[in-house]
């Protein structure tokens, strides 16, 4: 089942927005002054909350619902 954007933290929404814009984890990490590992952790938790398995599914859900 798909989660709600309300379950995401503001940081997770920010990262998912950048993912949807086509940025890589490394680019996002640089932009937000975080490590790439931290970006991956945020994404893993966001995927779990949203009920998606990967980046592609997350982006599709993002475009469908504009998290």
């Amino acid at each position: 089942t798909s989660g709600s954007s309300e379950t995401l933290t503001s940081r997770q929404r920010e990262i998912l927005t950048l993912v949807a814009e086509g940025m890589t984890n490394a680019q996002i990490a640089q932009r937000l002054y975080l490590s790439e590992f931290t970006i991956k952790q945020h994404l893993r938790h966001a995927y779990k909350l949203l009920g998606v398995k990967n980046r592609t599914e997350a982006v599709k859900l993002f475009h469908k619902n504009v998290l």
Side-chain angles (χ1 to χ4, degrees):
T1 60
S2 292
S4 161
S5 64
E6 294 168 12
T7 62
L8 296 173
T9 65
S10 59
R11 180 64 90 181
Q12 289 167 337
R13 283 193 298 274
E14 180 179 27
I15 291 169
L16 285 169
T17 298
L18 296 173
V19 166
E21 289 175 7
M23 293 181 77
T24 66
N25 289 349
Q27 290 169 327
I28 295 167
Q30 185 176 14
R31 162 93 56 100
L32 301 179
Y33 303 101
L34 297 170
S35 72
E36 195 169 347
F37 176 80
T38 300
I39 299 302
K40 289 177 184 178
Q41 289 293 101
H42 280 299
L43 286 172
R44 278 190 208 107
H45 289 117
Y47 296 165
K48 187 174 182 179
L49 288 170
L50 295 172
V52 298
K53 295 179 182 176
N54 57 45
R55 186 180 204 91
T56 303
E57 289 181 11
V59 169
K60 284 181 185 177
L61 185 63
F62 179 88
H63 286 302
K64 182 178 177 183
N65 298 315
V66 189
L67 299 170

